[in-house]
Amino acid sequence: MDCVFCKIASGEIPSKKAYEDEKICAFYDLDPQAPVHILIIPKEHISSIKEITPENSGIVAHIFEVAVKLAKENHLDNGFRIVNNCGEDGGQTVQHLHIHLLGGRSMKWPPG
Ligand code: AMP
Ligand code: ZN
């Protein structure tokens, strides 16, 4: 399958990794939107959050747990934002489930 995040997970495409275990990996976004901008993905190809079921939803909890750990490691003590873009209207450009961990600056609300 021609999926850039599957290739990052397998190491076929290089990335600056922030975390890795057998189920998920985290790496720095190529086009950072904040001083800290890390993407966290399941290694298994799941195309979006719409594909989450009772059988695979544990991966989402694990991703959030690691996001909080990475926020602490990156000293985001004043807060941070976790974003999931889903589908065209949500602004999803890579069709492999990922969450963005953004921090190191004050975030605006509502997002654009
Ligand atoms: P989204 O728009 O939510 O689908 O987010 C996709 C994100 O992936 C964007 O922020 C891109 O900058 C980022 N991205 C795309 N290709 C790469 C790559 N090879 N390495 C790191 N980040 C990437
Ligand atoms: Zn994939």
Side-chain angles (χ1 to χ4, degrees):
M1 187 190 297
D2 198 26
C3 170
V4 64
F5 285 0
C6 280
K7 289 179 180 168
I8 285 176
S10 72
E12 192 180 334
I13 291 179
S15 67
K16 189 179 166 207
K17 290 256 163 59
Y19 176 86
E20 184 166 17
D21 63 29
E22 71 277 10
K23 297 265 182 215
I24 70 173
C25 71
F27 51 94
Y28 288 87
D29 199 294
L30 268 188
D31 182 22
Q33 301 302 312
V36 176
H37 187 171
I38 296 172
L39 301 173
I40 310 173
I41 67 169
K43 287 188 169 175
E44 178 193 359
H45 183 84
I46 299 172
S47 52
S48 82
I49 200 74
K50 285 196 298 187
E51 269 56 64
I52 290 299
T53 65
E55 288 69 41
N56 67 8
S57 62
I59 200 78
V60 178
H62 184 44
I63 284 172
F64 270 71
E65 194 189 330
V66 169
V68 171
K69 172 183 141 69
L70 289 169
K72 285 182 188 149
E73 280 178 16
N74 282 275
H75 314 292
L76 303 180
D77 307 322
N78 208 36
F80 52 86
R81 182 168 289 174
I82 288 171
V83 172
N84 171 251
N85 297 327
C86 180
E88 197 179 340
D89 280 1
Q92 183 178 3
T93 60
V94 176
Q95 310 309 316
H96 179 129
L97 175 63
H98 54 282
I99 67 117
H100 301 251
L101 170 65
L102 298 146
R105 67 169 170 82
S106 180
M107 302 291 160
K108 308 250 180 314
W109 190 262

